[in-house]
Amino acid sequence: MAEGDPQLSRARLEDIVEGHSDAEVNQLLADIGTGKVLDQVFEAMSASLPADRAGGEPAVVQWDISAPDAIHTYQLKVGQETASASRGTPDQPRVTIALALADLLRLAAGKLDGMQAFMAGKLKLSGDMMFAQSLQGWFPPQIP
């Protein structure tokens, strides 16, 4: 988020998603700034991701987040000693994850299980499926 904006905490994420419909979550995020919220979620993901998670080889995981205004694309890049997040598609992803904005926030708040979301069709994967199976262990269930 921009300088001066309050940090997005797990408690704030829970407040945004708990008991709210997708439409209500989308409206709350539009009021805050969808891009600001997503920037902070992906910054927190990259900060909590140990750089050695990809087994020492570089990997790019792309996230396509469907929001009412657009599809927001982010990439998490993991190298031998680094992990970073960026907007857009500067690199070829090894796997792409697609889900709705409200579901991403539920996932980040620990209110949605990734495997259950996949089985219910809320989370879609493309690319290296064997690699995708390892992703569930990469991320903590929520941002700090």
Side-chain angles (χ1 to χ4, degrees):
M1 297 184 108
E3 191 172 324
D5 287 336
Q7 291 294 320
L8 185 65
S9 66
R10 177 178 183 208
R12 179 67 178 128
L13 272 180
E14 288 176 355
D15 288 343
I16 290 170
V17 300
E18 189 71 39
H20 293 107
S21 69
D22 288 3
E24 291 169 326
V25 170
N26 289 335
Q27 185 57 55
L28 286 167
L29 291 183
D31 293 344
I32 296 170
T34 301
K36 289 179 182 181
V37 172
L38 287 173
D39 286 349
Q40 194 167 32
V41 167
F42 283 96
E43 286 173 23
M45 277 187 190
S46 68
S48 67
L49 182 62
D52 64 352
R53 287 290 189 168
E57 65 181 85
V60 175
V61 178
Q62 182 168 305
W63 296 72
D64 292 336
I65 310 304
S66 298
D69 62 339
I71 293 178
H72 298 264
T73 300
Y74 286 78
Q75 288 188 336
L76 289 175
K77 298 171 196 162
V78 180
Q80 290 183 327
E81 297 180 16
T82 62
S84 65
S86 62
R87 281 188 189 195
T89 59
D91 296 305
Q92 180 68 32
R94 188 161 176 189
V95 67
T96 300
I97 300 168
L99 72 163
L101 178 60
D103 289 330
L104 172 71
L105 293 191
R106 289 183 182 106
L107 192 67
K111 300 296 182 182
L112 178 65
D113 177 82
M115 184 58 74
Q116 289 176 351
F118 176 75
M119 298 302 284
K122 292 182 176 192
L123 184 150
K124 297 185 184 347
L125 296 169
S126 60
D128 184 342
M129 292 303 168
M130 295 300 286
F131 177 72
Q133 290 178 352
S134 72
L135 294 178
Q136 188 169 1
W138 277 30
F139 304 102
Q142 70 278 330
I143 66 171

